[in-house]
């Protein structure tokens, strides 16, 4: 399983619709994530550049991308951003592999 941070900003029309008829979008999105074989670790509404932040655990990149494309295609988002998240164990493995690549920076 892989973890992802999804951040999104609603369109003014979507925010207007939520004001008229409030609903917990985290619960609704959780059902979509579950259909893709994943689960929502946590979801938060926020202010600033993004209106919502969601951390989810999905089987693979294709499953996650399926969710991200479906969310973007719905028309309620004016912007979204995905950040893959790595566990400390994954990062240690990544650093060990990086040390074996033979890469050197320009001199």
């Amino acid at each position: 399983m892989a973890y992802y941070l999804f951040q999104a900003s609603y369109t003014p029309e979507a925010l207007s619709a939520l004001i008229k008829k409030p609903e917990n979008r985290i619960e609704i999105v959780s059902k979509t994530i579950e259909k893709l074989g994943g689960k929502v670790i946590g979801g938060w509404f926020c202010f600033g550049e993004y209106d919502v932040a969601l951390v989810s655990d999905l089987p693979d990149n294709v499953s996650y991308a399926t969710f991200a494309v479906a969310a973007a295609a719905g028309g309620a988002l004016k912007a979204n951003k995905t950040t893959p998240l790595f566990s400390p164990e994954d990062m240690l493995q990544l650093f060990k592999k990086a040390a074996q690549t033979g890469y050197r920076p320009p001199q």
Side-chain angles (χ1 to χ4, degrees), residues 67-91:
F67 159 71
V69 167
L77 304 179
K78 65 180 176 183
N80 66 79
K81 176 182 171 182
T82 297
T83 305
L85 303 173
F86 297 91
S87 69
E89 295 80 19
D90 288 341
M91 286 306 294

Side-chain angles (χ1 to χ4, degrees), residues 23-57:
E23 61 182 2
N24 185 337
R25 296 298 305 163
I26 304 300
E27 286 179 3
I28 292 166
V29 169
S30 293
K31 292 174 185 174
T32 301
I33 297 286
E34 288 168 9
K35 285 182 180 179
L36 294 168
K39 68 178 183 174
V40 170
I41 304 301
W44 301 268
F45 293 93
C46 44
F47 57 88
E49 187 175 352
Y50 295 102
D51 299 313
V52 64
L54 182 78
V55 175
S56 57
D57 186 9

Side-chain angles (χ1 to χ4, degrees), residues 10-23 51 76:
Y10 288 116
T11 64
E13 296 81 11
L15 288 171
S16 179
L18 286 168
I19 290 169
K20 289 178 187 170
K21 186 178 176 189
E23 61 182 2
D51 299 313

